[in-house]
Amino acid sequence: MKVLGINAIYHDPAAALVVDGRVVAAAEEERFSRRKHGKRPLPWSAWELPELSAAWCLAEAGIHPEELDAVAYSFDPALMGTPEESGLNDPGDVMRKMYAEKAPEFLAHALPGLDPAKVRFVKHHVAHAASAGLAAPTADNSVLVLDGRGEAHSHLAGRYVDGQLEILAGQALPHSLGLLYEDLTDHLGFLRSSDEFKVMAMASYGKPRFLGELSELVVATEDGGFRTPEIDFSEYAPRLTKGDDWTEDHADLAASVQQRVEEVLLDLARWLHAQTGDRTLTLAGGVALNCVANTRIFAETPFEDVWVQPAAGDSGTALGSALHVARVLGEQTEPMPGADLGRGWTDDEIEQWLRVAAIDYERPRDVADAVAEVLAANGIVAWFQGRSEYGPRALGRRSLLAHPGHEANLERMNNVKGREQFRPVAPMVLAERAPEIFSRGPIPSRYMLFVHDVAPEWRERIPTVTHVDGTARIQTVDRTEEPLVARMLECFERRTGLPIVVNTSLNTAGRPMVDDPRDALECFGSAPVDLLAIGPFVVRRPRSTLG
């Protein structure tokens, strides 16, 4: 059974391939097109398909379009009402619906040989739910989905039992926690449907002064839903445009909205647990990328375990729709094996790239030890290893690495990436070492989707990765799953006494994460990075910044 999943209608177009119930490939279109988020979520871009990532998924498995049993499209236009019926009054929805209805023909054109009749529409939030509930390690689980919007809803609460989804609640539009956060993102001068994580970072610098007023406006309801009336944020802080300096009022507004969203999410999770009594909660949808809220759900609800889809945003619906349709067609599906579902290259292929680039490179006896040596000397390393990650987090495949023990390295890393100075960077740590340094959030934490409290005695030792509020968004490394990363961490600790390395995404501001060797070489050539570790090879900057 071969099922290709497609996300295309809004943002973060992506493709995923499930063969005989097993996830074999998944990738976001931005990694191929080099357009951040693949496209903007505008009505006239709704027709654009993840043609490059879909073609790669099929090629990776040696499958031709005519051999597919189904193509799952993560949006069902039949469930979409008029702009007036949704309450959003967005005339662009007419165009979106029309393009979605034509998706089978568009896909047949993009994938020659595909029978359009094999295209199946999947409700957007069911695709999100399947990306968590069917992909999680625990087969039976409760599932909570929250994002900006689907066809007519912004939320789904349900449970999976034996691979079957029971929907228990769904919040109809126009009420949407995701759109509320997007509106705030826009008000603070950031890019809607893109920069919401910046608002979460800014919130750490503020105090929730406006929480009382917001608590009367944004509320959970007894039926497992919520209400989000339109809010004029200018009553709390003036609107910013791109590049404007933010003030205490803006940080306090961000903190207030962040905390109110967290509180409503706690109410929704507790309501769901009261219905199911399940041990495990799985999360998906763009709101599930809010790692501060995820930690509170883990720490303050009756669920014992919380699992978040690493591609929780719309890109993950490509995977979810494929898993859902595979189940509908009678296939037993397996949990996703990890986030490393994208492109990879053999050592010989990488060396050929280096030769074509006509640059000096070497093959050290142990690339992990060579990297640790540079990091210990306070160098910055571009790390390119294995298959690329599916989702927005760098998880030791396409990463920028640095020493966590120098306070100045936070500013330095943000300068390298060309981004705002209030943005944090994250630590990676061996799973068995994490409990002595980090608490409150779940451990292990493979996908960097929770925040953890940093032990007071460690905060001065690892200032680069300790956020202003004393937390860190950690990635734990399992030595059996990531032996090369684990060895690098061990080599670094032998030199420095620190079992932690700074890990942030291998890209610069406004660009997608590096994906292929050409991207890595271009990033290394244009950013002040001391070493590129690419496969078993290293490329050193001729005039290193090390002194």
Side-chain angles (χ1 to χ4, degrees), residues 212-410:
E213 297 160 70
L214 291 173
S215 297
E216 296 179 4
L217 297 172
V218 181
V219 296
T221 55
E222 294 182 357
D223 59 356
F226 50 87
R227 295 292 178 267
T228 56
E230 190 171 339
I231 298 174
D232 183 2
F233 290 124
S234 62
E235 294 181 3
Y236 307 98
R239 170 176 284 277
L240 298 176
T241 58
K242 183 178 181 180
D244 287 348
D245 291 332
W246 50 275
T247 67
E248 180 180 308
D249 285 345
H250 296 100
D252 289 351
L253 175 58
S256 301
V257 174
Q258 170 68 29
Q259 184 162 328
R260 188 54 193 155
V261 167
E262 292 169 16
E263 292 171 349
V264 173
L265 290 174
L266 288 172
D267 288 338
L268 298 178
R270 289 167 180 151
W271 180 92
L272 180 55
H273 186 272
Q275 312 308 307
T276 69
D278 286 333
R279 177 182 180 277
T280 299
L281 174 66
T282 62
L283 297 173
V287 176
L289 292 171
N290 191 312
C291 53
V292 178
N294 294 345
T295 296
R296 291 197 64 186
I297 291 171
F298 171 77
E300 300 176 36
T301 72
F303 288 105
E304 297 175 41
D305 186 30
V306 177
W307 188 88
V308 186
Q309 161 61 242
D314 272 8
S315 64
T317 64
L319 174 60
S321 61
L323 289 170
H324 174 78
V325 168
R327 280 278 181 171
V328 168
L329 295 177
E331 191 72 65
Q332 292 296 309
T333 56
E334 300 177 11
M336 65 186 294
D340 53 330
L341 298 169
R343 289 188 289 178
W345 282 263
T346 66
D347 293 350
D348 288 344
E349 289 170 334
I350 290 173
E351 187 165 23
Q352 183 59 31
W353 279 92
L354 295 172
R355 287 173 177 165
V356 169
I359 58 175
D360 293 331
Y361 66 93
E362 59 188 87
R363 184 168 186 160
R365 185 172 61 180
D366 181 358
V367 69
D369 190 57
V371 165
E373 181 180 20
V374 172
L375 292 174
N378 205 25
I380 295 176
V381 175
W383 176 269
F384 182 105
Q385 302 293 337
R387 294 180 68 173
S388 59
E389 301 94 339
Y390 181 45
R393 304 286 189 247
L395 301 170
R397 303 300 179 123
R398 306 289 186 270
S399 294
L400 271 175
L401 309 177
H403 194 305
H406 303 288
E407 188 171 358
N409 275 352
L410 175 58

Side-chain angles (χ1 to χ4, degrees), residues 404-406 427 437-438 454 458-467 472 498-500:
H406 303 288
I437 306 168
F438 304 104
V454 182
W458 277 90
R459 294 178 185 178
E460 290 187 2
R461 296 184 65 186
I462 52 172
T464 310
V465 296
T466 302
H467 199 31
L498 298 176
I500 290 166

Side-chain angles (χ1 to χ4, degrees), residues 184-206:
L184 177 62
T185 301
D186 178 69
H187 184 79
L188 294 176
F190 302 124
L191 185 61
R192 175 191 296 272
S193 297
S194 174
D195 292 347
E196 284 69 29
F197 57 93
K198 297 181 182 180
V199 176
M200 184 175 65
M202 183 188 290
S204 299
Y205 290 83

Side-chain angles (χ1 to χ4, degrees), residues 23-24 62-63 106 108 114 207 248 260 314 382 474 526:
V23 182
V24 299
I63 293 172
F106 290 161
L114 174 68
K207 298 178 180 179
E248 180 180 308
R260 188 54 193 155
D314 272 8
I474 76 171
S526 63

Side-chain angles (χ1 to χ4, degrees), residues 422-439:
F422 64 84
R423 301 269 298 278
V425 292
M428 58 166 52
V429 58
L430 283 171
E432 64 266 26
R433 300 298 305 278
E436 68 186 85
I437 306 168
F438 304 104
S439 61

